[in-house]
Amino acid sequence: AVVPLLGAAFVKDYKVRLGVVFGVVSFALFVFGGLSGVIGKAPLVKPCLRVLIGGWLAMFLTFGLAKLVNHGVDLTHC
């Protein structure tokens, strides 16, 4: 959780922050996939792509669910 927080900590604009977080997290996922390939003594492409695509799916699912939940909640009347 530290990687996206550090990526977004200094960005004010929402859309730019989303892009920065996506880029930073994608890079970190790719690196961790490569690390798993090195540790497992496997070719690097497959583990990198597996971790990257799995991470993207998790990010999109989480983002979509958060948008659905936040869309139905109006906190201005609390």
Side-chain angles (χ1 to χ4, degrees):
V2 173
V3 172
L5 289 175
L6 287 176
F10 305 105
V11 181
K12 300 279 187 218
D13 185 48
Y14 177 74
K15 289 183 180 181
V16 174
R17 190 177 328 130
L18 282 178
V20 167
V21 168
F22 183 78
V24 168
V25 171
S26 294
F27 177 74
L29 288 168
F30 194 80
V31 168
F32 288 131
L35 183 62
S36 72
V38 168
I39 291 171
K41 296 179 182 158
L44 294 181
V45 174
K46 262 187 161 178
C48 288
L49 291 177
R50 182 179 59 241
V51 172
L52 182 64
I53 292 170
W56 282 347
L57 290 172
M59 281 194 301
F60 291 133
L61 182 67
T62 304
F63 182 79
L65 289 174
K67 282 290 192 183
L68 282 174
V69 170
N70 287 336
H71 182 69
V73 177
D74 183 12
L75 298 176
T76 58
H77 299 292
C78 292

